[in-house]
């Protein structure tokens, strides 16, 4: 009976799982296949852009990773834990394509509720900075339910970034943002990536793709490209 060396056993024990690992991850609705079996590892600290036409499977993948949608087959792990588990939810912040906000809470009340729910520490100072970065300081006591689409998106961005997380999933973040809002958010994403978080962004904003470490493209639920952004015609992948 063979045995591994102490060095190899130590290496195996210390091996860090990827931030996100999908194995045979599949979603179908009867005859409609939203995501074909997908094997994908996203290492810690990687900035990955997910591209594809509407209905290509981008949102389906993000929602299953966030634990909001059950796979039809296969599995996805977040920080080594099953997607949707308490530990996975604690590690991951998800910014959906359509802001989800409470009708009766002000922006400031949303911030406090989110931070207390996720056990954020020293959040008051960070909230002041994010409100300023996103141009929401004067609207902190207002109800987002009365905001424009762009202001609601900025509020959702703030809430996604104010809580503690290791992994950030972002679905079409630039929709509804004016040029100043897009620029502010890109700078915030740069800061998040520089701080070591894993960031996965599904977007049609092609100028952002070049900032990524990696580009993954889906077409009709199938993986059609996985590699450096500069080695592919992204426009042809998006459709």
């Amino acid at each position: 009976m063979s045995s591994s060396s102490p060095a190899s056993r130590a290496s195996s024990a210390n091996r860090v799982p990827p931030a996100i690992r999908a194995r045979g991850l599949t979603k179908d609705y009867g005859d409609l296949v939203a995501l074909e079996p997908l094997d994908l590892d996203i290492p810690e600290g990687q900035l990955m852009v997910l591209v594809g036409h509407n209905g290509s499977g981008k949102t389906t993948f993000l929602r299953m990773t966030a634990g909001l949608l059950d796979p039809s087959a296969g599995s996805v792990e977040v920080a080594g834990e099953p997607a949707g588990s308490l530990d996975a939810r604690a590690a991951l912040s998800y910014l959906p394509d359509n802001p989800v906000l409470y009708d009766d809470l002000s922006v400031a009340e949303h911030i406090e509720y989110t931070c207390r729910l996720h056990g954020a520490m020293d959040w008051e100072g960070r909230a002041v900075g994010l409100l300023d970065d996103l141009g929401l300081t004067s609207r902190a006591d207002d109800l987002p339910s009365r905001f424009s689409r762009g202001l609601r998106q900025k509020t959702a961005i703030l809430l996604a970034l104010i809580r503690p997380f290791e992994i950030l999933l972002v679905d079409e973040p630039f929709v509804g943002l004016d040029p100043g809002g897009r620029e502010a958010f890109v700078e915030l994403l740069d800061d998040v990536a520089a701080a070591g978080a894993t960031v996965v962004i599904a977007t049609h904003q092609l100028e952002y793709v070049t900032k990524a470490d990696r580009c993954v493209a889906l077409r009709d639920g199938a993986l059609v490209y996985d590699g450096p952004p500069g080695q592919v015609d992204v426009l042809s992948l998006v459709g």
Side-chain angles (χ1 to χ4, degrees), residues 8 14 52 120 129 182-183 189 192 205 207 209 215 222 229:
S8 65
N14 294 329
R182 287 197 296 270
E183 182 178 351
L189 288 174
V192 168
Q205 201 77 17
E207 59 264 34
V209 173
C215 176

Side-chain angles (χ1 to χ4, degrees), residues 164-180:
F165 61 85
E166 302 168 23
I167 301 161
L168 178 65
L169 304 183
V170 187
D171 194 359
E172 297 294 352
F174 304 106
V175 176
L177 294 180
D178 56 24

Side-chain angles (χ1 to χ4, degrees), residues 185-196:
F185 187 36
V186 166
E187 291 179 0
L188 290 170
L189 288 174
D190 288 345
D191 291 343
V192 168

Side-chain angles (χ1 to χ4, degrees), residues 11 97 100 180-181 190 197:
S11 175
D97 59 341
V100 179
D190 288 345

Side-chain angles (χ1 to χ4, degrees), residues 128-172:
V128 170
L130 285 171
L131 285 165
D132 183 60
D133 291 337
L134 293 166
L136 291 172
T137 301
S138 64
R139 310 301 299 269
D141 294 324
D142 295 341
L143 296 175
S145 58
R146 301 176 181 174
F147 284 177
S148 66
R149 175 65 170 84
L151 287 177
R152 286 173 59 84
Q153 181 71 359
K154 289 181 179 181
T155 303
I157 290 169
L158 189 157
L159 298 177
L161 298 181
I162 193 68
R163 53 154 293 184
F165 61 85
E166 302 168 23
I167 301 161
L168 178 65
L169 304 183
V170 187
D171 194 359
E172 297 294 352

Side-chain angles (χ1 to χ4, degrees), residues 63-163:
R63 286 178 58 82
M64 286 194 288
T65 303
L68 301 176
L69 187 64
D70 291 331
S72 300
S75 65
V76 57
E77 294 181 350
V78 174
E81 301 294 337
S85 65
L86 290 178
D87 287 341
R89 290 180 184 271
L92 182 147
S93 183
Y94 174 50
L95 177 61
D97 59 341
N98 189 30
V100 179
L101 302 165
Y102 295 100
D103 290 340
D104 56 348
L105 294 184
S106 69
V107 174
E109 289 168 336
H110 272 91
I111 292 171
E112 181 171 0
Y113 173 76
T114 299
C115 290
R116 295 191 183 282
L117 179 66
H118 294 284
M121 305 293 291
D122 304 322
W123 54 268
E124 291 93 341
R126 292 189 295 110
V128 170
L130 285 171
L131 285 165
D132 183 60
D133 291 337
L134 293 166
L136 291 172
T137 301
S138 64
R139 310 301 299 269
D141 294 324
D142 295 341
L143 296 175
S145 58
R146 301 176 181 174
F147 284 177
S148 66
R149 175 65 170 84
L151 287 177
R152 286 173 59 84
Q153 181 71 359
K154 289 181 179 181
T155 303
I157 290 169
L158 189 157
L159 298 177
L161 298 181
I162 193 68
R163 53 154 293 184

